[in-house]
Each structure stands twice: as C-alpha cells, then as structure tokens.
Amino acid sequence: MCGIAGFCDFKEDFRLAQHKNKALAEKMGATLRYRGPDASGEYIAEHAVFAHRRLIVIDPVGGLQPMIRMQDGCEYALIYNGELYNTDEIRNGLKKLGHVFDTTSDTEVLLRAYMQYGEQCVDYLNGIFAFAVWDSLKQQCFMARDRFGVKPLFYAVRGSTLVFGSELKALFEHPSVKPVIDRYGLCEIFGLGPARTPGCGVYKDIYELMPGYSAQFNAEGLKIAPYWQLTAREHTDSYAQTVETTRSLLFDAIKRQLVSDVPICTLLSGGLDSSVVSAVAAKALGENGKTLDTYSFDFVDNERYFRASSFQPSEDRPFVDIMTKAIGSNHRYLECDNDDLISGLYGAVLAKDLPGMADVDSSLLYFCRRIKENHTVCLSGECADEVFGGYPWFRDQEVYDTPAFPWSKKLDLRKEVLSCELLRKLPLEDYVHEQYQKSIARTPKLDCEDALHSRQREISYLNITWFMTTLLDRKDRMTMANGLEVRVPFADHRLVDYLYNVPWEFKYHEQEVKALLKDAARDILPEEVLGRKKSPYPKTYHPEYEQGLKYELRLILSDRYAPIHRLINADALKALMNSESDYGRPWFGQLMAVPQMYAYLIEINFWLEHYGVDIVL
C-alpha cells in the first residue's frame, strides 16, 4: 500500500518551473509518509505533477513509483495505492497481446493494463486500489477507485487546476485548497458523522471519488462516471448451491489475498468472520510449510468491567483460545490501557483529517502500531456483517418501519449537545433525511419484488454503501497511519455482488443469524465458534476511561477560546456529564454511546483547532 497525490492543469506547463513544482509535490507526498515509509518519488509532465510514497509489499526493487513506460513514442506514468489479487491472470493476458514485463510487481501490470485497455482497464481488476495515470497520448489524467472504496482518493477543482490525494491533508498542502467547512459540512459532522455521504469530503468543495467510479481530467474539464455498480438479479440457486458458491468465492478471495513478499498475519477476535479468514489462511499457509500469525485485541481490566448486552453478549478471549488451538497459529494478545485510548483520539483525527469513531478508532490505531512491530500486511474479517446480514438492525422491525439510517435512527443525543443558535442555522434533520432518501432511490431492485423484499434490498444497500464504507475508511486510515496494509476478503466484489442477490431467507436460514456463512464454513470451524452470538469490535467499560474523557472535556470547556464553543451548548453538556453513566443509548452503530459522544466532541475541538478550520455559516 502507498500514498498518492498530485495536481493537473491544462493552462500550465509545469516543466517551466520544475524545481518549484517538484518541491510542492514533495510537500504533498510528505504528508503521506506514514502510508508509504519505504520510498518516495515525483513525476513532472507538461500538465501533471505526481507524488508517491511507497509501502513495500511486492517486488521491492521493481515496484518503484511513479512508474513510467513508453509506447509508440507516448509516455504513461502511474501512481498507485493498492493491491491486485488477480495480477497473474492480467499479466498472462497482456503477455499474449505482446506486452513484455520488466518487473514482477502488480504496479507494472496495472500500468500496462491501462496502456492496453485504456479506461476499461478497471473492468479487469480484482483488488483494492486508488490510482492516477498520466496519458500523454490522450493528454489526460485518468483516476479510479476500487469498487467498495477500500482505498481512499480525495480531490478538489480550483479554477483550472485539479488537486488530488489519498488523504485530505495532502490536498491542504496545495496553495489553492483550504480547510473550510460550511453548514452542510457541519450537517455531515453532527448529523451523519462519523459516516460521510458517499463522495463527500466534508470540507467545502472537496470531494472523494466514489467507490466504483473513475474520472478523466483533460482540457475540457473533469468527467466522472461509475464503471461498476451493484446489480439486482433474480437468484435461482438452491440453498445448497448458494452455500457452495459462497464458500468457493469466499475461500478463493482469502487465498488470493495472502500474496505478499513481506510478513502477513490475520486479526482474530474469535468471532465467526475473523475465524473463517484465519482458518482458511492457516490452512493455505500450512500447505506451504508456514504457520499463520494472529492477533486479538482487548482492554486492560476488561474482564473485570465487561458488561454483556444484546449488542456485545460475550468477551472475545475464550473464543480466541479455542480458535488458536484449532488452527495452530502463533498468537499475540494485545491490550490497550485508558491513557493510550484517550491520547489516541488526537492521533486518530490526524490520521483521518476529520473526527471519527472515537475510541473505536484510537484503539485500532494503537493496536496497529503494535502489529507493525512484526508485520506489514494483515487480513481482517471486516464487511461480513454488511453482506451476510449480521447486525441486529437487519432483524429489527423498527428499522423496517422507520425511514432512517439503521445505525443512527434518531438524532436526539446529537442535538442535545448543540447550541440553540447552531440548531437554528443547520438544516440537520432535513439534510440527514435527504441523504437517506437519495440512497434509497439508488437502491438496485427487481420490479417483481414485494414490499418486504424491496425493503430488505434497501437495508442491505444502505449497509454496503454507508456503514461498510465507514468501517473500511476507519480501517484504512488507522492501519495506514502505521504503515500497515489491511486486506478485507469479505469485500471481494464477486462475493458481494453474488450475496446482494441472495434472499434474506437464505442468509437467515432456519432463523439462524448468518446461517449461510456458517454453513459455508461449517467444516473448518469449531462448533463453539460457529454457535457464538455476534459480538462486535471490543470496547472498554472501564469507569476510569469515562472519567478521563470528562476530565479532558471539562478542560476544553474551561478554555473560552476553544473553537467548539461556537457549536455546542456547554450547559447541556455539563449536565450530561454530571448524570449517570449511559452505555445503553448508542447514537451511531452498536458501540458509540454517551462516553463515545464525549470522545467525539473532544475530537471535533482538536480537529477545528489543529487544522485551523474556517467555519462559514
């Protein structure tokens, strides 16, 4: 994995001021050094300037970027962040067409695929990616992002200039891009956050290339279009056939994603999803005489303070022990304490350039730092719940009846802490409802479906295009901030496309949650793990953690220059902090309750202050 950045302008000849433009590219690239700590490079063409930071995973010598190749007197330059899982198939096809390869890297495969197939190269790719190609023949910059947005790519157009980068911070190094937020950006933060509307960069006039989209920038301007979308089709397979196809697609995705020239591991919580990934990976590595390394996460003293709930019914440790014994992995148990959890809130904002999932982010940031001490690549069980219907809200009648995002049905807690003046200025409820309705309108459906199956499609689509994207964004930013590459086999587009059309009756076969996945993996997992009730990413229940958050927040409130004062109702927030601890009112997902609201507000204040965000209402 890597970091990319650049700018293009067809009214400029960047070669005339090479030193100046190279220095600017270096500054943009330097902001992404944690994504790519191993190497850096720049490229300057007449109308394009590229910067690249490299994390070495495949072909250490041959994969240097920007990668440049010539064909028929024309120059092609690529900067790429990602990993292709069908490199060999694409390479073999290109060889048959006469291409000669100088390296074993997937970077060269991607570049030559563009040289051969042009903009349609994306149709051939199975992987996670965000890339930009300068094409001197067509005089254009071509950009694309993977089908589910595992890899990020932000952009802004200022006058005749296109500025882009893997992260927002890279854009801010360009003199034409400033961190400004208007009332719609505040609606994103307070109404939808830590999720974001697809394609929205939160900051004013900054956008993110949507998953499954590509873009062409030339003298005529910027043209953006989807190259892939989920498609509704009638599912005709029997349940037995569906189990077998699911197993084949999933196991193939896991095995493909084990390719690496550097140490690889998996994240193992003892839950169904991570256990499937780890079991398949352990077997595949074992066939080559290797032992899988695995990691699990928890918090100091969590066995003492853990509170079982419908969202989080059990601790991970007993099930991790069962799995590590079953697959014979080399396992490391990692723990995070309260100080690291709270201090990590600030690092998480710096990694994301926005407030995020509070301690869900900061803990992952800490754990990834520990993993990076020994590994560079890991596989995760992320995304299974979105595509197999694992979350409780898939079975919540209120969700079916309520026209709202399932993970954030009400804005009450969010609005409690906002100032009356801000609430008058922000169209909060209307904005959130509008984004919801737009997504519902885009949901791929079949004309013949009844109301129930149509609603199930909507809920599935919302989870894939919103909640899954939020978790993938979190995963990329917290891992890459430590130079750690994460891979997500459950987000393989072939698997997701197939499962989108599998009826709920199969996913919930015989009233069993995620029965389809369990039956697909039944012969590789212990019964105890197969029968475990879903338990999400762990959270701390330590009372000192909440007290630490309140201490930090009170310090902020005591500073009359703190930027968050413009936005919140300090009296209401103080009253909330003086009330009884409340973990039972999630305002986002399953894990973000009142303590996470405190952490989110701490992040917002730090974000406004550190980035010097200009609020324009």
Side-chain angles (χ1 to χ4, degrees):
M1 295 301 164
C2 306
I4 66 173
F7 49 97
C8 305
D9 193 323
F10 288 88
K11 293 184 178 180
E12 296 281 348
D13 184 345
F14 294 119
R15 298 171 302 181
L16 300 179
Q18 287 208 31
H19 180 75
K20 171 188 170 184
N21 290 310
K22 185 176 187 296
L24 178 53
E26 288 175 343
K27 284 178 63 178
M28 294 176 71
T31 66
L32 306 171
R33 60 190 178 277
Y34 298 112
R35 296 186 71 90
D38 298 326
S40 65
E42 294 77 36
Y43 168 80
I44 300 177
E46 182 180 4
H47 300 302
V49 177
F50 288 173
H52 187 265
R53 297 290 308 203
R54 188 182 183 207
L55 176 67
I56 294 176
V57 174
I58 301 291
D59 194 355
V61 176
L64 292 175
Q65 297 184 49
M67 182 173 281
I68 303 167
R69 293 292 184 269
M70 300 293 296
Q71 181 172 280
D72 299 328
C74 296
E75 187 170 84
Y76 301 85
L78 169 71
I79 48 174
Y80 158 52
N81 167 31
E83 201 73 51
L84 297 185
Y85 304 132
N86 62 338
T87 299
D88 291 342
E89 293 98 314
I90 300 173
R91 182 189 289 114
N92 291 337
L94 290 169
K95 282 182 175 179
K96 292 177 182 178
L97 295 172
H99 286 267
V100 177
F101 288 83
D102 303 315
T103 74
T104 61
S105 71
D106 60 340
T107 304
E108 186 177 16
V109 170
L110 175 56
L111 179 53
R112 291 193 176 277
Y114 175 83
M115 293 164 65
Q116 177 65 42
Y117 306 119
E119 293 84 356
Q120 284 68 49
C121 68
V122 289
D123 297 332
Y124 294 81
L125 309 180
N126 180 328
I128 52 179
F129 53 84
F131 66 86
V133 177
W134 171 249
D135 180 338
S136 69
L137 174 63
K138 295 182 179 179
Q139 285 290 289
Q140 73 170 11
C141 176
F142 178 75
M143 303 187 299
R145 191 173 177 217
D146 64 71
R147 294 167 179 84
F148 296 110
V150 180
K151 295 288 105 182
L153 185 57
F154 294 92
Y155 69 92
V157 177
R158 297 291 185 267
S160 59
T161 304
L162 170 72
V163 185
F164 65 90
S166 294
E167 295 181 8
L168 290 157
K169 57 176 66 69
L171 276 66
F172 294 144
E173 287 300 320
H174 194 279
S176 68
V177 183
K178 305 298 182 186
V180 178
I181 190 164
D182 59 17
R183 62 180 188 153
Y184 300 111
L186 289 176
C187 285
E188 289 281 331
I189 295 292
F190 289 112
L192 296 168
R196 284 187 286 114
T197 299
C200 175
V202 179
Y203 296 92
K204 190 175 187 299
D205 297 328
I206 297 180
Y207 307 94
E208 187 170 24
L209 190 63
M210 287 176 60
Y213 274 63
S214 63
Q216 297 167 263
F217 185 69
N218 55 35
E220 296 178 359
L222 181 65
K223 179 183 177 182
I224 297 174
Y227 67 85
W228 185 89
Q229 293 176 305
L230 285 170
T231 304
R233 294 184 297 273
E234 183 181 1
H235 188 78
T236 57
D237 291 352
S238 68
Y239 182 70
Q241 290 171 325
T242 302
V243 170
E244 185 53 41
T245 300
T246 299
R247 177 187 174 95
S248 175
L249 289 170
L250 175 58
F251 286 21
D252 179 68
I254 297 169
K255 292 172 185 175
R256 283 177 181 269
Q257 296 188 24
L258 292 173
V259 60
S260 175
D261 290 337
V262 295
I264 196 166
C265 63
T266 67
L267 310 183
L268 176 60
S269 70
L272 175 64
D273 313 333
S274 65
S275 295
V276 171
V277 172
S278 297
V280 174
K283 186 175 187 297
L285 292 177
E287 290 171 354
N288 293 311
K290 300 178 181 178
T291 301
L292 176 68
D293 292 320
T294 54
Y295 290 87
S296 63
F297 311 149
D298 212 334
F299 299 90
V300 172
D301 293 333
N302 220 30
E303 75 284 352
R304 177 181 175 189
Y305 294 107
F306 176 79
R307 303 178 190 178
S309 67
S310 58
F311 282 142
Q312 203 151 23
S314 59
E315 294 183 84
D316 288 342
R317 181 68 179 256
F319 297 94
V320 171
D321 292 341
I322 292 170
M323 275 305 302
T324 56
K325 182 178 180 181
I327 65 176
S329 65
N330 293 323
H331 190 76
R332 294 176 176 87
Y333 295 95
L334 302 180
E335 284 192 332
C336 182
D337 63 28
N338 294 321
D339 290 340
D340 286 320
L341 196 56
I342 293 174
S343 64
L345 294 172
Y346 305 100
V349 173
L350 296 177
K352 196 172 182 179
D353 305 313
L354 290 165
M357 294 187 74
D359 49 67
V360 185
D361 281 354
S362 65
S363 59
L364 183 60
L365 187 70
Y366 170 79
F367 292 133
C368 290
R369 185 162 66 246
R370 296 287 308 279
I371 293 172
K372 178 62 179 179
E373 294 171 4
N374 301 291
H375 292 86
T376 301
V377 180
C378 64
L379 271 66
S380 167
E382 216 88 47
C383 304
D385 286 309
E386 288 82 359
V387 297
F388 284 98
Y391 293 120
W393 52 71
F394 278 96
R395 302 174 298 282
D396 184 349
Q397 188 59 46
E398 184 183 359
V399 167
Y400 280 76
D401 297 337
T402 304
F405 293 108
W407 50 87
S408 187
K409 296 191 291 288
K410 298 178 181 178
L411 301 181
D412 297 0
L413 182 57
R414 298 166 180 259
K415 292 167 65 176
E416 277 183 30
V417 299
L418 298 183
S419 73
C420 294
E421 182 182 0
L422 186 64
L423 287 172
R424 282 195 299 270
K425 291 182 178 180
L426 295 187
L428 204 61
E429 301 270 6
D430 291 343
Y431 184 87
V432 171
H433 187 65
E434 181 183 359
Q435 304 315 313
Y436 168 83
Q437 290 292 355
K438 285 180 179 178
S439 293
I440 293 299
R442 288 195 296 264
T443 303
K445 302 178 185 178
L446 295 175
D447 293 337
C448 61
E449 288 174 331
D450 60 26
L452 175 61
H453 287 89
S454 177
R455 184 59 176 154
Q456 288 169 343
R457 287 266 196 195
E458 292 171 354
I459 294 171
S460 177
Y461 187 73
L462 287 171
N463 274 271
I464 291 171
T465 58
W466 279 83
F467 200 75
M468 188 169 96
T469 302
T470 300
L471 297 186
L472 289 173
D473 177 70
R474 160 191 173 250
K475 205 82 169 191
D476 172 83
R477 231 49 63 83
M478 299 308 124
T479 55
M480 292 305 293
N482 292 286
L484 179 69
E485 175 188 320
V486 67
R487 299 173 180 176
V488 277
F490 283 105
D492 182 284
H493 74 274
R494 302 165 304 160
L495 176 65
V496 179
D497 186 57
Y498 180 76
L499 290 173
Y500 181 71
N501 292 289
V502 170
W504 176 245
E505 291 80 5
F506 283 9
K507 295 177 183 177
Y508 197 44
H509 189 59
E510 296 183 350
Q511 303 300 297
E512 178 73 20
V513 177
K514 291 165 75 171
L516 177 57
L517 177 56
K518 292 176 181 178
D519 286 340
R522 191 162 295 279
D523 64 331
I524 65 168
L525 296 183
E527 281 297 324
E528 300 96 322
V529 174
L530 283 168
R532 184 188 182 189
K533 291 184 178 180
K534 173 176 171 51
S535 196
Y537 182 85
K539 66 185 288 185
T540 184
Y541 294 88
H542 202 302
E544 291 181 8
Y545 171 64
E546 184 174 353
Q547 293 306 313
L549 292 175
K550 290 179 178 179
Y551 176 80
E552 293 281 318
L553 202 48
R554 287 187 174 111
L555 284 178
I556 292 171
L557 294 178
S558 68
D559 177 6
R560 63 193 180 99
Y561 297 109
I564 202 169
H565 279 300
R566 287 187 61 185
L567 308 174
I568 62 166
N569 182 331
D571 290 336
L573 183 54
K574 289 175 183 176
L576 186 63
M577 287 193 287
N578 289 330
S579 62
E580 186 176 346
S581 177
D582 185 357
Y583 283 84
R585 235 192 337 163
W587 54 277
F588 186 85
Q590 305 169 81
L591 302 178
M592 297 185 69
V594 171
Q596 284 68 40
M597 175 63 79
Y598 302 149
Y600 192 58
L601 294 173
I602 291 169
E603 288 195 329
I604 289 173
N605 186 75
F606 175 71
W607 164 65
L608 294 170
E609 193 170 60
H610 180 83
Y611 288 83
V613 178
D614 184 12
I615 300 176
V616 180
L617 293 176

